[in-house]
Amino acid sequence: RAVSGSLPERKSCRYRRRLGNWVIDLASLAGNRPLTGDRLGHAQPIWHNRRMSEAKDNLAAPVAVQPPQFGISISFQARRDLGERWDTAYGEGLELAAEADRLGIASIWVPEHHGEADGYCPAPIVAGAALAARAPGCRVGQSIALAALYGHPLRLAEDLTVLDNLSGGRLEIGLGQGYRPAEYEALGLPYGSRTRAFEEAVEILQLAWTGER
């Protein structure tokens, strides 16, 4: 599952705000030309909705638009076809993190896969600790950690808590169930029950962090 955010719509420097199922053109309001919008966003030249009429004064000011934040993903893969060493790939990944911090990148994310010949990072939480030290201005997360492969969820909760403390509260948590049967087979875990294991892990993590487990 993925969660994403969206910025307020901006078109031709005209700001729009959604009120319930209605869209109001704020630029028109500021110009004393009140418009309502129907449910498809089409303008109509009369205030015929009482909620919108009452909110007119509150909508006259422009909407402040927050600038987008950018993040990068580092998988620590080595170019084995060029003879690159695995430790070189990890060292360059840490250098990239430091440069991202210098440039004001908001977050660094580490994915997870297992058994890859190029050394694709199998331990995003461990790597996250090193990244947090090299990029003190960035938040650090997993994109994603395969929750069902970590054994008991309480151990996963402990590892994430340690990383959050080491980073000074800069942890972002990204979890998933995975899609590669070979990764489950390599670790002796049943691929067919991965969804149930993932949901159980999320439930136990929430209980652990609220002191209920």
Side-chain angles (χ1 to χ4, degrees):
R1 301 189 180 102
V3 178
S4 63
S6 61
L7 294 173
E9 180 181 354
R10 183 177 183 180
K11 184 176 182 181
S12 300
C13 298
R14 295 160 71 93
Y15 293 93
R16 299 166 70 87
R17 175 179 291 178
R18 184 169 296 279
L19 176 63
N21 291 322
W22 301 82
V23 176
I24 304 170
D25 190 317
L26 301 181
S28 296
L29 294 181
N32 294 321
R33 297 190 304 277
L35 298 176
T36 62
D38 63 18
R39 292 174 186 270
L40 296 178
H42 303 302
Q44 298 176 0
I46 183 172
W47 287 95
H48 62 80
N49 182 281
R50 185 174 61 84
R51 282 183 61 201
M52 293 174 62
S53 181
E54 292 173 350
K56 176 182 176 182
D57 293 337
N58 295 329
L59 294 175
V63 177
V65 179
Q66 296 295 325
Q69 292 186 328
F70 294 91
I72 63 172
S73 177
I74 301 177
S75 58
F76 299 102
Q77 292 169 272
R79 288 295 306 271
R80 298 298 295 163
D81 56 323
L82 300 179
E84 183 180 24
R85 294 163 51 98
W86 290 295
D87 58 343
T88 300
Y90 275 88
E92 291 180 349
L94 295 178
E95 291 177 7
L96 176 59
E99 182 66 8
D101 183 57
R102 186 186 70 81
L103 294 174
I105 297 296
S107 56
I108 302 174
W109 301 82
V110 186
E112 175 181 347
H113 277 303
H114 297 268
E116 293 296 316
D118 60 4
Y120 197 112
C121 184
I125 300 175
V126 175
L131 293 170
R134 292 295 297 270
C138 299
R139 299 189 67 79
V140 177
Q142 307 83 44
S143 62
I144 55 179
L146 304 178
L149 299 182
Y150 281 78
H152 199 289
L154 280 179
R155 183 53 193 258
L156 176 58
E158 290 177 332
D159 288 348
L160 290 169
T161 300
V162 169
L163 176 53
D164 191 49
N165 281 281
L166 287 174
S167 65
R170 291 181 285 130
L171 175 64
E172 298 284 351
I173 300 174
L175 302 174
Q177 65 181 17
Y179 62 93
R180 294 184 175 182
E183 294 179 319
Y184 280 81
E185 294 172 4
L187 296 174
L189 297 172
Y191 179 76
S193 61
R194 69 191 186 285
T195 299
R196 179 170 56 84
F198 168 73
E199 292 174 346
E200 180 183 21
V202 172
E203 179 181 357
I204 293 177
L205 286 173
Q206 293 174 328
L207 293 173
W209 289 327
T210 57
E212 301 177 53
R213 181 64 184 267

